[in-house]
Amino acid sequence: MKRKIYDDLIEWKNKNNFKPLILLGVRQCGKTYIVDEFCKNEFKNYKRINLFEDTRVVDLYKSNKTSDEKYQDLKRTIDFDFDKEDSILFIDEIQESEELISELKYFNEKHSNVRIICAGSLLGVKLARLTKPFPVGKVERLYLYPMDFEEFLIANNQEMLVERIKKSFNNNQ
């Protein structure tokens, strides 16, 4: 299924500064789906973790370890070397760990070669209520909205209708 935000994800991938990306959007709008497709298609090495399912990561970031220790322990815990070239880590349901959200600053400052995308349900609400510091300026944010009419038509193999509607609109007909 084609979503317009895919082009924005490609643009993020091609930037020289590798800031972690947080994808925001309402529940059930396709955040996990589009990020999963993007990571599978655009990177050689890909790992997805879901913090609802893998509470070991949540516990790790609640610990009193240093950021460097947490970084190394994360790689061991999820059995994935996200430092490798052409690799990406997708952290789904990141709202389950305020500590990890705050730690995204560390990823940006100390490991700017690492590609990380985060998403979660009701993440916008969670970010507004954080008790830990949000990494302002150290992450990028994108918003995924529910499928629009054009995306709906494309998903239903009606690309010709999309072009006809655009042409009619442009010609004020």
Side-chain angles (χ1 to χ4, degrees), residues 20-83:
L21 176 67
I22 295 179
L23 187 63
L24 300 158
V26 298
R27 293 186 72 242
Q28 303 295 314
C29 70
K31 294 181 297 293
T32 298
Y33 169 81
I34 197 64
V35 172
D36 190 54
E37 285 297 305
F38 169 73
C39 293
K40 285 178 188 174
N41 294 336
E42 304 297 331
F43 292 88
K44 182 178 177 183
N45 307 298
Y46 163 50
K47 178 79 171 195
R48 174 180 172 239
I49 57 172
N50 182 317
L51 298 188
F52 271 151
E53 299 165 359
D54 196 342
T55 57
R56 298 172 306 158
V57 175
V58 175
D59 294 339
L60 168 64
Y61 278 88
K62 285 183 180 176
S63 73
N64 290 326
K65 295 180 179 185
T66 67
S67 294
D68 289 330
E69 291 170 326
K70 290 176 186 178
Y71 182 82
Q72 294 305 322
D73 285 353
L74 177 62
K75 288 163 66 170
R76 282 189 292 275
T77 300
I78 65 172
D79 191 28
F80 182 65
D81 185 4
F82 38 80
D83 277 316

Side-chain angles (χ1 to χ4, degrees), residues 23-26 31 91-95 118-124:
L23 187 63
L24 300 158
V26 298
K31 294 181 297 293
I91 305 170
D92 204 6
E93 305 298 353
I94 194 168
Q95 77 279 356
C118 307
S121 299
L122 301 173
L123 186 52

